[in-house]
Amino acid sequence: MLDKKLDEYNNLIRKRVDECYAIATEAKSLGRDISTEVEIPLANDMAERVEELIHMKGIASEIRELSKTMSREEVSLKISKKVAEMLRENKDEALEKAVRVGLAILTEGILVAPLEGIKEVKIVKNDDGTDYADIVYSGPIRSAGGTAQALSVLITDIVRRELNVGAFKATDEEVERYIEEIQAYNRRKHLQYLPSDDEIRLVVKNSPVMIDGEGSEEEEISGHRDMKRIKTNNIRGGMCLVLCEGLIQKSKKVLKYTNIMNLKEWDILDKIGNHKKEEKGDKGEKYLRDIIAGRPVFGYPNRPGGFRLRYGRSRLSGLAAASINPITMYILDDFIAIGSQIKVELPGKAAAITPCDTIDGPTVLLKNGDHVKIKNMEEARSLRENIDVITDLGEILIAYGDFLENNRNLSRSPFTVEWWSYYLPDKLKGYEKTVPDQFTAVDLSRKYKIPLHPKYDYYWHDITIDELKKLIDSIKVADFSGGLILTHDIRDILIKLGIEFKNTDNGLFLSEFYPLIISTGFELVNDKIVQLRNIDNETNVMDAVNKLSGIEIKPRAPVRVGARLGRPEKAGDRKMKPKVHALFPILNYGDSRRSILVAAKNRVEFSMELNARQCRNCGNETPLTLCEKCGSITYDENTEKKLSVNVGTVLEKAESHVGFYDLKELKGVKKLMSKSNTVEPLEKGILRSKYDISLNKDGTCRYDMSDIPITHFKKSELKLSSETLKNLGYPDQEINEIYPQDIIIPEDAAKYLLHVSNFIDDLLVKYYNMQPYYMCSKIEDLIGHLVIGLAPHTSGGIVGRIIGFSKVSGCYAHPFFHAAKRRNCDGDEDSIMLLLDGLLNFSKKFLPSTTGGLMDAPLVLTVILDPEEVDKEALNVDTLYKYPLEFYLETEKNSPASSIEKMMKTMKVKMAEENSYTGAGFSFDTSDLSDGTLTSAYKTIGSMEEKIEKQLGLAKKLISVDENDVAARVISSHFLPDMFGNLRSFFTQEFRCTKCNSKFRRIPLSGKCLKCGSDNLILTIHHGSIVKYLKETEKIMSEFKLPEYLQAQIRRLIDSINDTFDIHGDEIVDDAPTLESFK
Amino acid sequence: MELFNDKTRILEYFQKHGILVTKEAMDIILERSMGDLIPSMISDEVIQSGYLTENDVLKLISTPKREKMDFEVYIPDIKSHSSVEDFRKMFVDRYERIRKMIIQSSEMRGTYKISTAKKTYGKVKIVGMVSEVSTTKNGHKKLLLEDLDDNINVFLLKNKGLNNELIIEDEVIGVIGSVSNSGRETVLFADEIIRPDIPYKMIDEQKKPPVYVASISDIHVGSKTFRENDFKKMIAWIKKSMDEAESLKYLILSGDVVDGIGVYPGQENDLDVLNPLEQYEKLAEYIDEVPEDVNVFIMPGNHDVVRLAEPQPIFSKKISSFFKSNTVMLPNPYNLRLEGKNVLVYHGMSLNDMIELVPGASYASVGSALEELLKRRHLAPRYGGKTPIIPSERDYHVIDEVPDIFITGHIHSYSQGNYRGVRYINASTWQSQTEYQKMMNFSPNPAIMTLFDLNSNTTIVKDFKSED
């Protein structure tokens, strides 16, 4: 389905793409490139992408036809059968192609899994002479996801039946091997679902195809080794994934299809996958388990003081992104920036953070004893240094759609203004926008019998009944003069309630007091506080305040969302390590910098196996596209030969071709990684160096960014002129719904792309003798230009259009754009490249020949986004301007999110009902998409020591965090394993030659490098890396209360290190505590 | 000492002391060649009665004299300076010491340095350390062999049947073969591989009353899976001093005597005693029950609270102080001399590596791996695996002295055997199957004590396993 309302927009995009494609086609046809054609085919839909990926001409129309009436899965099975039928002459090929096509359809022709996730499918003979199908998986199958993984096994089964290939019969020993192997894999890399032995046994015994894998892990199996039909002793990661997270974990879904296909052998799946629930118990705490040094924790599970849940979607959230107030980012010492990933307790595992200044910010206790809700950024700046305790982090805005996507029950909603407003009589709806004062608020409740306004609704559920009694006793004797003056001893109760106060010598002064005294059974009569009701025998504080006040008081913050910093935001150009300008090999002749200039200066001439081309003018054989002897165009011989390269000559010629002689540096590579060893024209490298841009392994220039969503942008925040806006096809108004393929990139990305555009123009003019295309001199000139968005683990790009710039480190784009790349916004990152850069400079012939080499390469390009073909997750984004009252009532019942999907008008519902996904709404505004911390402190703080100091400092400051537990976790999950690990590997380490970089498993007896004879052999693990965190660990041990066992472990490590090394530098303190002093 | 081997001299000796010998007593003395025990037969009791009877002699046999001894344990103070030289010196030391053993063999007389060998033609003999092992396309085995200043590629050809020879990286071997200069580089085609190996030894069966050395290992006190009842049963058996226990003179604990702490992630969940020192105190309580006149030797293993890298030092003073004076702390590994016999004790961390390297060796049957260690005269031939070794000027894993008994532990199975007269054993454990072992599908064989008689070539196996 394409949204008809977007026709005009789509035409704009298509026109630009055609323009670029035409230029690239013309340039390539000149023969000055390694290929005479553009190597990124355009695809309009999934069917075409599959056709291009698998190279099955003509299959697209059949897929399209079947898709009209069938689900993806059914189409996949059907087409697989068809392909098998077509190719049945060659059974092996038929089997392999059919399975790959099927998986490609299941993964929308975007993922690399069909190419890289299946190493081979082969037909093997059983001992009894019958044959069976063996499908060999490798690591990248992971990207396909459990269901597609499982279905790929079914496809294999169906296809082998079609081809009359027999069934696999596992021997008992083989079954045991699978069990041992899966357990071993689970120890190294955690499996989402670890099946029981019986489950594994059942599936392997009954599977009619052999689920096999490449020995992808370094670790070997210790028990069932050297088996005839399992060729490797290494752990087969791909097999473990497909069996556990695929077939077994998704058994219910698979069963659906086996029933349709009438595959009786698979009925066994009915009996498995049932003890899945086990792990769920402590799901909420999972985010704490893998705590990382230097990345602070913001809240323990549902602990007061942490982020308060608020339902809604800002124009910058949804698709796993959540919003918080920019003031909170600042108060948290800038650890959370826009685009940072935080790991959360709910609704999913992680979320990217975007700003929203229309939700609550933090409340803090100052060093002078005042308890303050920080109202704006200015106040925050003046107070940050004076904060003693952060008593409340403010709200975190989470969209309904994220609860739906994670298949969760709705947590109870806090009582918020949106909810409250539903109770307001029509004539008073103005209070939805303006906050009533404390007296009016109480009056409203009394007069109209509506719940107390959320601003005056305190966290009553966080105090005990005894604390309430203490509070009442204190109010009973309190002074009153313009405000309430309470004694100091109830400070902590007021803090728990979230009530602001000033610390004075006479006591705690509350200017907002009326709702408090009402809630606790008092009234103000003639400036005197009079008690109306006292606590009876209530045991529940919520019940008590409802009764004492005589008005309805709803829970203000029933749910807090525990969180910690995950991955910090990312934005930066992609550099190979070390940086490269051209895919031009120079072996070791460029010294450690791999400088082509150095090699040229030394007049280096070497020969190596390279893709050969022939000059038809002078007969010269060369790896270059332009003959270095006569300057003519050369022709690809599609074969490798030992060719000699004179670096000096090649460089001189290339410089003269592009007319640039002022190179400061030109970095090549040591060796090519591709199968064909194809050399890139050096001219391109020269021009890249001229504009100081870095190169990716596939010949393109990439900029990597965190993914963050935006559904509506403001003309003002992007500083767009009316003219620009109109040229882009938008109405000239302040707020616009963003088109699905439009992106807002960081200014830094724009600067990089500006250089790339200059490079492309130079290339067009000087290398191809064509007209320049971009002609950009400032970043604003890039607006309207197209890019290719491409994510790792995929091999299909999508066209995007630059419409503006932000100051944040992330790429703002429509949720559908991210979903088209198979990404969400929970901390994922991916890349963009200029469209013409991809079309001109990408080549498959550069791609590494290793497994995974095809990943993150634009093997095919989608021009127009089709909402039917984006990751289904994006269809769960909700589109309402205001969540209905029923929603809040459902949260009180903890209903499953899925039960109200229709009411919440998700994209899916909207598309079904309106046949369009445009015209969506959002429920919370944000002043400016760049408002908030721009760079996480995690990235700006230099040393790990300082990061940890800040992490622990924050832990102490936050009442939502147990600092001793954080300290213990940092040490036991990070420092100790790191130090122990390095200590262990010190004794089994490799040695390295600093001159030629050769590595040796053991130091040669001569002490000299066996390759180059140099005696500069060095350790690869030093004493320093073992004691790296020792000082820090000891410091933390003295400052925090660590569990005794952990203390003993630390002391044991210190003893062990002291006992091992005869080095007493600064790192080891002589009077360090030892195990001896422990008892 | 004078030797008494004929009747006349024995009688003369007793007469000198005014003692008459009964015929029965004389028969036993001669029968059992107890000549050197004769001085000890002249007890106060015998002098008083003036007669040496059959009973007097038998008493002497059945209660061999057990005495507490002082053992001087040599503890090298090795520490790493974190330099490449530390590592190199260790391998050079290994090379030189094992080379000496190899060239003692008559067939290795006249070896060349590799650099010299490369310049010659035809048959040569060299000694080198293996750097790399690989198999060629055609199924031949190819080694890179190093000596102190050069290296050479050595081919073990399939048609000579040498391609199946087990070659372990970093072992030191002698090669007899022919040099070939025909190719691009000089290589050596091997005819024969010479190892330092264990010389065949005649076992001198002395007719002496038995003196037992008991071997146990991997006690894991402090673990929830420590088999406390079996262990107590075993201690009680020693304490009773009946049966063979009467002649028990030495008790060796070869490592992992407690479960320790922080050995693997999540270990705290498997521990009964969380404090490592309390674990040792608990062990000391059990060992306290062992009679004073049994000498107890305790060696650390990878679970123990000493540094992990081998050679592991003896326990700290604090830990040692928990034990009575009949206990001697040993470093790991250690060659213990008991009554003139070499008892080589090694906890056995390298066995993890060896099981992977030696075809046919497994956790359940580790004998062949132990034999391969003896053949190579080295306790941890391959560097870089799972065995952490402290680099120093001396390689403490070279087996200098040919052991009479070779004791290991670590892997919790039980096996014993005899290689060219060396009695070897992988001592059993006192820990039940752990979760980890369950996952690895390994069933330990626990609660077995082995008794070696230092005077004869016999062992006795005592099983203390109770039904779970």
Side-chain angles (χ1 to χ4, degrees), chain A residues 30 93 183 324 410 470 498 612 629 633 721 754 863 894 987:
Chain A
L30 300 174
E93 194 197 347
Q183 285 167 345
I324 62 172
L410 295 166
K470 196 175 164 194
K629 296 221 167 102
I633 286 164
S721 67
L754 180 64
V863 180
N894 289 126
F987 304 105

Side-chain angles (χ1 to χ4, degrees), chain B residues 314-331:
Chain B
I314 62 163
F315 290 111
S316 65
K317 283 198 184 105
K318 178 93 189 176
I319 292 174
S320 308
S321 72
F322 299 153
F323 296 89
K324 284 196 306 196
S325 59
N326 63 338
T327 308
V328 178
M329 299 300 171
L330 298 181

Side-chain angles (χ1 to χ4, degrees), chain A residues 228-294:
Chain A
K228 201 173 138 214
R229 300 204 290 184
I230 301 173
K231 297 288 179 228
T232 173
N233 284 331
N234 296 65
I235 296 172
R236 299 167 294 165
M239 173 281 288
C240 296
L241 286 172
V242 173
L243 205 65
C244 303
E245 295 184 1
L247 272 178
I248 300 182
Q249 195 179 11
K250 306 286 180 195
S251 55
K252 294 287 166 290
K253 278 192 187 165
V254 179
L255 262 177
K256 238 171 47 192
Y257 297 104
T258 57
N259 287 338
I260 299 174
M261 310 301 293
N262 208 12
L263 298 170
K264 288 274 174 276
E265 286 91 335
W266 292 102
D267 288 352
I268 46 131
L269 291 178
D270 199 23
K271 295 181 208 143
I272 59 175
N274 296 324
H275 68 272
K276 255 177 251 178
K277 292 249 155 64
E278 264 174 38
E279 256 206 296
K280 274 207 168 155
D282 54 351
K283 197 175 175 184
E285 272 192 51
K286 222 170 172 182
Y287 74 97
L288 278 182
R289 225 178 290 157
D290 47 354
I291 217 165
I292 294 173

Side-chain angles (χ1 to χ4, degrees), chain A residues 989 1002 1005 1059-1060 1079, chain B residues 80 146 170 281 304 307 383:
Chain A
Q989 66 177 298
R1002 159 174 65 72
L1005 291 176
D1059 247 358
T1060 304
K1079 217 178 154 186
Chain B
S80 165
E146 259 184 274
D170 309 323
E281 277 182 321
D304 284 293
R307 72 153 179 246
Y383 167 82

